Amino acid sequence: MGDGTAASTTNRGHSSSSNKPEWLQQYDLIGKIGEGTYGLVFLARTKSAANRGKSIAIKKFKQSKDGDGVSPTAIREIMLLREIPHENVVKLVNVHINHADMSLYLAFDYAEHDLYEIIRHHRDKLNHSINQYTVKSLLWQLLNGLNYLHSNWIIHRDLKPSNILVMGDGEEHGVVKVADFGLARIYQAPLKPLSENGVVVTIWYRAPELLLGAKHYTSAVDMWAVGCIFAELLTLKPLFQGAEVKAMSNPFQLDQLDKIFKVLGHPTLEKWPTLANLPHWHQDVQHIQGHKYDNASLYNVVHLPPKSPAYDLLSKMLEYDPRKRITAAQALEHEYFRIEPLHGRNALVPCQPGEKVVNYPTRPVDTTTDFEGTTSIQPSQPVSSGNAAGGMPGAHPSNRSVPRPMNVVGMQRMPHQSMQAYNLTSQAGMGGGMNPGGIPMQRGAAAQAHQQQHLRRKDPGMGMPGYPPQQRSRRF
Amino acid sequence: MADFQTSTHRTKWIFTPQELAEKYSASNQRAIQILEKYGSTLMEVDVDGSLSYPEPHIAAKDSAEKHSRTKPVNIEEEQFMRVFYENKLQEVCNNFHFPHKIQATALIFFKRFYLQWSVMEHHPKNIMLTCIYAACKIEENHVSAEELGKGISQDHQMILNNEMLVYQSLEFDLIVYAPYRSVEGFVNDMEEFFQVADDQFQMLKGTSKMEVDKIMLTDAPLLFPPGQLALAALRNSNAQHKVLDFERYLRSMLSHQNYSRTVQELLEALDAVDSWVRRYKFPSEKDLKHINRKLKSCWGQSSHDESKKREKKSKHKSKKSSNETHAPSHG
């Protein structure tokens, strides 16, 4: 480290417009793989000899528009990623600064898959459920990453299928990486309520205490989300698919709570003593206390025998009282993980012979977009070479994959990575040993993109039955 | 983040006194070479965040003579400047009623920044304000640059221009551990260990925090982990109030934790922290005047017009000059 920092100032390649900044020359840009409120996510390959051809996801953060310097989201994500190296957490391999527009580029190890796409593939293309080995392995690794975060006092706050990445072919094939830490917080300090951050996150995975107006959150909110994701892995459908109330500052989400109560039954003070203190429950403007929900039966929804270990674990994750909800550490010890099939490191490829291996499609890449987000002339590279070759059942016939409807991909935020290697210092940073890891997608995109998202959301049909755009979340 | 053991703070930013001296010397040397080469040292930070060293003066001969009169500041004087602005930093934070944690973070940022750079290269006033701004952002106590600038009648654009430079110089290691929390933790622990009245502990806590304030102004935060800084502060505070048997506490603490150090080693570390506090020297008025005069000439501010001109020109030539910045940093 050291003095290099000083030196890295040079990126001045922006004489006029299209000159590639120096740091960019170490990559072959393949194309855009996602976009969201904060910027774009690109797929690139390294050129350096050591890691030639290695896939990297580059998440570009735009400078915040309010004229107040470097995006706090980017800074927060970077600073956390620097401190948390873990196999099940995305790996940030480098940070680049483009001085021309003061934008930050976070380079992550690329992950080919995410749970959103895996679930969608099973639901829409294969029409059959995910095998038990894969579900269990995905869940175990997700919990393992989360346990690490929680024991480091970090709450993710925005877990959802699109933020849970899975590595494609390679040494880490089938390894889960928790990504997108833009909303994550260290919770030693009192956290500001979501609304104060002006944050918009998807409500489907939001814990009931938050929906009822709790001002402080605990790591239990992440466990609720894991429960929702677990159920979704089992059924291929979001468990609590409430219609979101759009309004300024964290409005009461009646429909979301209604969906939860229908499945889990009415919460009661016996089961959840602190319920009475939660503002939305207490004020009860919309008379939610008076609703009656009969026949609540989670096991019917998820089609699990009520006595099964899987059901037991799921119901403990979906415990109303956050203080009684199972923790990540406890969940890892649960009986579910001790019975056959046992979980494995490569979640996508079962060790048992006879199990069918699913070839999941690779991420579509929009090869017409350059780093500036503008369309370029660059002929499409042999993009799909590596990637596409593998899987892509049907979906993308041509060589060049079609960008997905924005929702899909884009949203995840970048992953983080472990940090150590950041070599920010010189542009060259990446060279070193980067490992596999991260995945990127980000959510944020340009303003325009953002608007589009909104438009899309309003469109009821959305073309994806049941699947909302991924909610990308946050913005300031 | 709870795990200090694996943190960048512990693994990258705690140095030996010798390493520290080498770093200070290296950036001082680099700035001196630049002064010799270009006649001034202040780097320009453009709106776009890029840096460039000053243009060499055009009238090379004339200026050669002039340069010979421009004296660089030495290592001790650099230290004085840092000390002066660290005090300013505390003042500004106090005026804004920022929490201790923000002040401590900003101070650590400032110290780390000047491990990479000489005060001749970046004006410590600007860096101090930018560090405060960055600390607010990191600690989620967001204050707009404009608000901060207004509060101290400074141009906030300067803060924004320097922001990226600061993150970069900190290598994006932005989570730092201040001793204030450690003090809280130790006092809580002591309360369980000793049966002493609560108000005694409150007093101990209060003076310990003032001791930490003093420690934070020295180089000790770059040399010792926050827990040791906190213990040094507590020991001094306890020496004033005589609340408890400090060594007994240390022994019991070490025996309870799998701490590889002996009490003796720990005491030596605390003594070392104390000695940094004792050696702390604030520059006199006269020192400051003298250093400021030198710095001004290093910054090429003796002739106002000239620096103005340079600003304009840099737009066109900065590309070239910025390429040159690479070399000196390794020098």
Side-chain angles (χ1 to χ4, degrees), chain A residues 94-145:
Chain A
N94 218 328
V95 176
H96 301 286
I97 299 165
N98 192 37
H99 287 291
D101 64 352
M102 286 297 269
S103 51
L104 276 172
Y105 292 79
L106 275 54
F108 293 91
D109 278 343
Y110 177 68
E112 190 65 78
H113 313 289
D114 60 64
L115 296 194
Y116 181 88
E117 287 300 317
I118 288 173
I119 291 168
R120 194 166 75 110
H121 184 65
H122 279 268
R123 188 189 59 236
D124 298 348
K125 289 282 182 304
L126 304 178
N127 243 321
H128 67 71
S129 58
I130 306 174
N131 77 61
Q132 288 312 300
Y133 165 84
T134 296
V135 170
K136 191 179 287 187
S137 302
L138 292 171
L139 184 66
W140 191 89
Q141 294 186 40
L142 166 57
L143 287 166
N144 194 38

Side-chain angles (χ1 to χ4, degrees), chain A residues 1-12:
Chain A
M1 72 176 245
D3 45 48
T5 21
S8 58
T9 47
T10 46
N11 283 344
R12 268 184 157 260

Side-chain angles (χ1 to χ4, degrees), chain A residues 1-3 5-10 12 14 67-70 82-83 97 99 102 152-153 185 188 192 424, chain B residues 2-3 7-8 12 46 48 50-51 116-117 133 137 140 142 144-145 163 168 171-173 318 322 326 329:
Chain A
M1 72 176 245
D3 45 48
T5 21
S8 58
T9 47
T10 46
R12 268 184 157 260
H14 60 296
D68 216 14
V70 180
R82 298 287 281 139
E83 308 284 337
I97 299 165
H99 287 291
M102 286 297 269
N152 282 284
W153 305 92
R185 290 303 130 92
Q188 58 179 25
K192 293 183 183 172
L424 309 167
Chain B
D3 199 358
S7 66
T8 51
K12 288 176 60 188
D46 275 7
D48 67 4
S50 61
L51 298 175
Q116 320 271 19
W117 299 100
Y133 175 69
K137 218 178 237 191
E140 302 215 30
H142 195 66
S144 75
E163 186 187 7
Q168 211 174 346
E171 298 176 20
F172 287 91
D173 294 331
S318 51
S322 71
H326 244 58
S329 71

Side-chain angles (χ1 to χ4, degrees), chain B residues 123-179:
Chain B
H123 198 311
K125 182 181 74 190
N126 296 351
I127 299 307
M128 162 195 90
L129 294 171
T130 309
C131 287
I132 295 173
Y133 175 69
C136 288
K137 218 178 237 191
I138 270 64
E139 302 294 343
E140 302 215 30
N141 193 321
H142 195 66
V143 173
S144 75
E146 205 174 346
E147 215 178 317
L148 190 61
K150 242 186 229 153
I152 45 184
S153 329
Q154 294 289 330
D155 173 21
H156 72 274
Q157 190 56 47
M158 167 280 293
I159 295 177
L160 295 176
N161 287 356
N162 281 298
E163 186 187 7
M164 194 66 96
L165 167 70
V166 165
Y167 294 139
Q168 211 174 346
S169 303
L170 300 174
E171 298 176 20
F172 287 91
D173 294 331
L174 304 175
I175 294 183
V176 300
Y177 296 77

